[in-house]
């Protein structure tokens, strides 16, 4: 089956574990090369973050498990890229 | 006949199979190198996604079949690129 | 005479032949390397598309013939590039 | 004297000769490598176009002659680049 | 554990030590290659700055210590990148 | 003394000599590699142009002399770049 | 101590010495490779400029001295980059 090369998630999480701890756990997964976590919004209890994972062969279920175990909830799966190469979304007149 | 190198589709689909499952099926087609699926909008029942497929020789009918078999409906075919090389749309004063 | 290297057309066409069929016919012309067709708008009867053709030596009359034979009407010829190399339009303060 | 390497013109022209014919005549001039003509606006009688010519050594008087002979009128000379290399306009806080 | 390669912080700090002094202390940390500090806003007492640190293996606790010792307070951790390579956040339709 | 590598001027000039003649005179100066003149605005008597000169070692007084001799008046010196290499202005949050 | 590689300053200065004279003095400093001065605003008495200095090892105190000796006043230090390499500020959702 084709390899998952990039996945972008919209996640609501508690402040702890912090984004460094969470991104490290994700980046330690086999098949993941790098993880970017960007803060969208935060309040006193939770933070809404955007997680981008890239790699040769990402195991999405393990990504999900780590996020859930750390108390996060996945609001949406905003973008995936799959195949023998990482392709970019083309811009259209409907965007 | 000239090869189909990129196709961009506006699709309405049920949540399952999810975008990872759907993109993997598309990326497994012969002639497809990579697939990007980006979420446009979602509600409780369906999600509107934008699918970009790139490859050397995409078989559009098979792309259509996979989307339809997974319960998706193709709203529009927003962009195609055909030929011996993948060319980009030029920007004009009418855009 | 100087070679036509890129031409961008604003076309109104019936839904059939679809953009894959039309772009394939254009890309099969001698002197054409690639064709991008992007959807601008559509309604139930027709679709307004933007066609970009690139190549070493495009025969514009043949491009016109294919579009007309497929039931399309050329609204405007929005951009052409001619010469020994493909040059880009320069940006000015009047744009 | 320094070589003219790029010239951008705002031109009002009749529909015929069309932009392919006009750009071919300009691209056939010695010292011109390529010509881009982009449509700005058109009505039933005339079209307003932006002409970009690039080359090693453009003879501006010949460019002018071809445009005038084809019935076009030059509204303004919007940009020129002259010298041993083609340089780009720098962006400033006054733009 | 995966390496921290980039961290972006929103910090409120007194005017002294100034941004040159603070960035030098951060850049002197082992595992840090470079530091950019950009001013967001300032008033007579404090300045709000954005700190970007890049490196092969950033020790976040030491970054925190230096900022706090210099009288700064970290408002938010706006972006982190972790892994064997520095990846960029992908753009989505939710941005 | 450090070399002047780029200078950008806001100039008001009569229509003659035209921008091709003026840019050629500037490009013929020793130490100037290329000149771009872009039209900002024009009326029946004068034109407001933006002049970008690049080179290894521009003699600003000679640039000034040529502009003044051709009847132009320098409104402002909008940008200069000086040194052993041509550096670009960095973007800040104050822009 | 880590090297200062870029510094961006918001400066209010009298018209004389002009920006060419001031940038030349800054570019002549040891450790400075290039200087860009861009005009933000001017009135009859003063001009507000943005100064970008790049180099391997900028001595900020000397930069300050030259600006002050020439009658300029530093309004703010808008950006600094320090370290073994020149890094760029990362874009975040808070920008």
């Amino acid at each position: 089956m084709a390899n998952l090369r990039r996945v972008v998630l919209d996640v609501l999480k508690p402040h702890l574990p912090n984004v460094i701890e969470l991104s490290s756990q994700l980046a330690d997964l086999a098949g993941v090369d790098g993880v970017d976590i960007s803060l969208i919004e935060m309040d006193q209890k939770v933070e809404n973050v955007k997680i981008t994972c890239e790699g040769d062969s990402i195991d999405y279920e393990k990504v999900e498990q780590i996020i859930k175990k750390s108390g996060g909830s996945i609001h949406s799966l905003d973008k995936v890229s799959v195949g023998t190469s990482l392709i970019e979304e083309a811009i259209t007149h409907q965007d």
Side-chain angles (χ1 to χ4, degrees), chain A residues 46-65:
Chain A
V46 289
E47 53 199 39
N48 178 208
V49 296
K50 176 181 167 190
I51 301 176
T52 303
C53 296
E54 272 187 34
D56 281 343
S57 172
I58 303 170
D59 181 336
Y60 181 65
E61 288 187 21
K62 293 206 173 132
V63 170
E64 250 186 325
Q65 281 169 20

Side-chain angles (χ1 to χ4, degrees), chain A residues 37-81:
Chain A
I37 302 188
S38 294
L39 181 69
I40 306 293
E41 282 192 307
M42 66 187 297
D43 64 21
Q44 280 190 305
K45 284 195 184 158
V46 289
E47 53 199 39
N48 178 208
V49 296
K50 176 181 167 190
I51 301 176
T52 303
C53 296
E54 272 187 34
D56 281 343
S57 172
I58 303 170
D59 181 336
Y60 181 65
E61 288 187 21
K62 293 206 173 132
V63 170
E64 250 186 325
Q65 281 169 20
I66 285 174
I67 292 169
K68 288 182 179 164
K69 257 205 278 191
S70 72
S73 115
I74 298 173
H75 277 192
S76 53
L77 183 44
D78 290 345
K79 192 179 190 71
V80 297
S81 184

Side-chain angles (χ1 to χ4, degrees), chain A residues 8-47:
Chain A
V8 184
L9 297 152
D10 179 10
V11 169
L12 195 72
K13 65 178 279 297
H15 294 313
L16 293 176
N18 71 10
V19 291
I20 293 173
E21 175 57 30
L22 177 58
S23 57
S24 295
Q25 286 181 32
L26 292 169
D28 280 338
L29 287 174
V32 174
D33 292 340
V35 176
D36 174 282
I37 302 188
S38 294
L39 181 69
I40 306 293
E41 282 192 307
M42 66 187 297
D43 64 21
Q44 280 190 305
K45 284 195 184 158
V46 289
E47 53 199 39

Side-chain angles (χ1 to χ4, degrees), chain A residues 2-6 55-56 80-88:
Chain A
N3 288 359
L4 180 58
R5 295 188 174 274
R6 183 164 58 195
D56 281 343
V80 297
S81 184
V82 170
T84 52
S85 62
L86 175 64
I87 70 151
E88 297 297 330

